[in-house]
Amino acid sequence: MITLKSQREIEGMQHSGAILAGAHLMLKDKLHIGMDTWEIEQLVDSYIQAHGAVASEKGVDGYKYATCISINDEVAHATPRKGLKLKNHDVVKVDFCVNWHGYQSDSAWTYVIGESTPEIDKLLEVTHKALYLGIEQAQVGNRVGDIGYAIENYVERQHHMGDVRELIGHGIGPSVHEAPDIYHYGSPHRGLRLKAGMVITIEPMVNAGGAWQIDTKTVPETGWEYYVSADRSLSAQFEHTLAITNDGPKILTSQDPVGDHKYLL
């Protein structure tokens, strides 16, 4: 069932999203070579709690952590792991959700540890641009396929990278994951029609090697399953929560009020 949110609900989710964005901005200044991924978990969880909210992922399908932390060829859903230290050139995806008084938000961001490389720069540039091409299609009257096609065309046809298909965006609020499913590939003018009041996530995952397929791996200590690129190439992800409105898509998890000005409430 797809729920359409009121203006009050969207504003509440925007407040939740501001807390989430603030946690990402905090991380940008703290990530460094030698940092333990468990410290990332603690920093994010503490930040969320200090702002009167809770980390929504805790307890979902038995998950125990505030964050998912996926490194290099890990595409998504990997856990923070005590003793796993960040290294120079690591490509780190940090994904988490925030619940502020029942209002949900969800956003993932990719960071480079230490020095970058031309390959990493290109991967992040393409993935970030793909997110915003998808957002631009999130207009009242458009269809889910318009979002997916914009991302797939840019990632695969223009840049010959792998546009992950098995992991998708989704509706959000009051639960973390709701209908509709938001695919990052597809055909224009196909699929569910977008309506004002929908709140969704768009979260393309891009593999540098050109293959979109993923494999499953397991964290030995816990048995938790996560995903890696099938060709073991570097993978990146960027994700925003956004509201579909009659005035266009509005990003609720913005970290950049200047660059995102046209997408803000």
Side-chain angles (χ1 to χ4, degrees):
M1 177 175 162
I2 298 172
T3 61
L4 301 181
K5 277 67 177 181
S6 67
Q7 183 63 27
R8 176 184 61 81
E9 290 172 312
I10 290 173
E11 289 172 356
M13 296 177 79
Q14 182 185 35
H15 189 100
S16 173
I19 296 171
L20 195 160
H24 274 299
L25 290 169
M26 173 271 297
L27 277 182
K28 287 181 180 178
D29 293 330
K30 295 186 179 295
L31 294 172
H32 61 269
I33 295 170
M35 187 178 193
D36 195 299
T37 60
W38 188 248
E39 186 179 350
I40 300 174
E41 164 74 8
Q42 293 177 308
L43 283 169
V44 171
D45 200 17
S46 296
Y47 184 97
I48 293 170
Q49 292 183 46
H51 287 79
V54 296
S56 307
E57 290 287 359
K58 287 185 179 181
V60 175
D61 296 328
Y63 198 69
K64 300 178 181 179
Y65 312 106
T67 62
C68 291
I69 302 174
S70 307
I71 301 174
N72 295 331
D73 66 340
E74 297 172 349
V75 176
H77 296 180
T79 68
R81 285 149 280 178
K82 292 180 180 179
L84 179 59
K85 307 287 188 179
L86 301 181
K87 305 184 299 299
N88 193 34
H89 304 313
D90 273 349
V91 176
V92 181
K93 286 76 68 177
V94 184
D95 185 6
F96 54 95
C97 305
V98 167
N99 180 340
W100 178 75
H101 298 288
Y103 298 108
Q104 301 280 1
S105 58
D106 185 2
S107 179
W109 220 249
T110 301
Y111 304 95
V112 182
I113 305 304
E115 301 167 317
S116 189
T117 67
E119 178 191 15
I120 292 171
D121 287 344
K122 187 64 175 179
L123 173 63
L124 268 60
E125 175 188 339
V126 169
T127 310
H128 188 263
K129 179 67 178 294
L131 168 64
Y132 278 82
L133 289 173
I135 290 171
E136 184 60 32
Q137 293 300 314
Q139 308 281 348
V140 172
N142 275 4
R143 295 182 180 271
V144 169
D146 295 313
I147 296 173
Y149 177 77
I151 293 170
E152 179 188 1
N153 182 63
Y154 181 72
V155 170
E156 295 197 345
R157 295 180 181 85
Q158 296 185 39
H159 291 284
H160 310 292
M161 295 183 181
D163 176 28
V164 173
R165 286 155 167 68
E166 296 176 62
L167 305 173
I168 60 177
H170 51 87
I172 182 170
S175 301
V176 174
H177 296 102
E178 298 185 352
D181 293 339
I182 305 298
Y183 297 93
H184 304 115
Y185 65 98
S187 300
H189 318 306
R190 298 292 182 90
L192 179 78
R193 192 176 296 280
L194 302 173
K195 296 182 179 180
M198 289 181 177
V199 179
I200 62 173
T201 72
I202 299 177
E203 45 186 294
M205 286 148 271
V206 176
N207 297 335
W212 58 262
Q213 292 86 353
I214 58 177
D215 289 335
T216 302
K217 293 187 74 174
T218 302
V219 179
E221 296 80 6
T222 63
W224 181 261
E225 290 187 343
Y226 63 99
Y227 304 99
V228 299
S229 58
D231 61 6
R232 300 303 188 265
S233 65
L234 295 175
S235 187
Q237 179 188 19
F238 290 99
E239 173 189 13
H240 275 313
T241 297
L242 58 138
I244 311 296
T245 81
N246 289 319
D247 295 322
K250 302 299 179 184
I251 297 173
L252 306 182
T253 50
S254 174
Q255 302 177 36
D256 181 9
V258 176
D260 290 341
H261 69 278
K262 69 178 285 189
Y263 297 120
L264 300 182
L265 288 172

